[in-house]
Amino acid sequence: MADSASQVLLGSGLTVLSQPLMYVKVLVQVGYEPLPPTLGRNIFGRQVYQLPGLFSYAKHIVKVDGRAGLFKGLAPRLCSSAIGTVVHSKVLQPGARKKESSLEQVLKETSQEMVARSAATLITHPFHVITLRCMVQFIGRETKYSGTLSAFATIYREEGILGFFAGLIPRLLGDILSLWLCNMLAYLINTYALENGVSTMTEMKSYSQAVTGFFASMLTYPFVLVSNLMAVNNCGLAGGLLPYAPTYTSWLDCWSQLHREGNMSRGNSLFFRKVPAGKRYVWEEQRFR
């Protein structure tokens, strides 16, 4: 019980700290660009026109809504984090794990983790949908989703039960694929790339999971993007309608259109955001001073 409480507190703290980052990322994912590009330098020192990065974007939000504006959607996200942590721990029911890292053990533990994560995602997805819609309201200055409880009522009234699970399938697929990629890559590296018996190998193996997790998240990012776009698509908010997004018939339709446009990695990086060649943007008017 104490472990669960400490995990909830730790998760809540990380959620609060990461909220501005997620807020900016979501707005970039839906294609909202309120600021024109500026002439800057890339990581190689060459001059290029760049879209505003994390800090410039955050300053714009603060200018419009104040510092508190960076934390829109925090309440439902905290609920999602806390409930997800509890569900995950209850489903996983961690027991005494074996020390060896045999393939059979890795497959067993990964399967158990997959079930626990999927259960947590399924139960908390309605809060995730509300979080995203609270954030996207910034674009059209709407107040449709002003509170967590009222948001539940609004979604149920307008979209029914299915509205709470918009974007669920690509999110689940992305989570599962990322988990398996991460664990299997880590197993292969630890087993075949790093030799046993060397003093430094133990420390290197401890980092392999983090490294493979990073690469797995990069490879599965399109699922995250498509899931978030489907969660806000055609929900009555400006950010879910043209010119930001057409009305997608399914998440596969969303995926194919993003792929055709070359936008599968939109929002993946919030620094050194180069203006894509051949792209024309209509910049938002600076209506708020």
Side-chain angles (χ1 to χ4, degrees), residues 2 14-15 23 46 157 181 186 231 256 272 285:
L14 293 175
T15 297
Y23 191 10
R46 295 179 56 186
R157 182 176 64 252
L181 280 174
S256 63
F272 303 109
E285 293 182 359

Side-chain angles (χ1 to χ4, degrees), residues 38-59:
T38 57
L39 188 61
R41 295 186 182 275
N42 60 16
I43 57 176
F44 301 106
R46 295 179 56 186
Q47 282 193 333
V48 293
Y49 277 100
Q50 297 175 336
L51 295 172
L54 171 64
F55 299 113
S56 297
Y57 214 120
K59 286 181 181 178

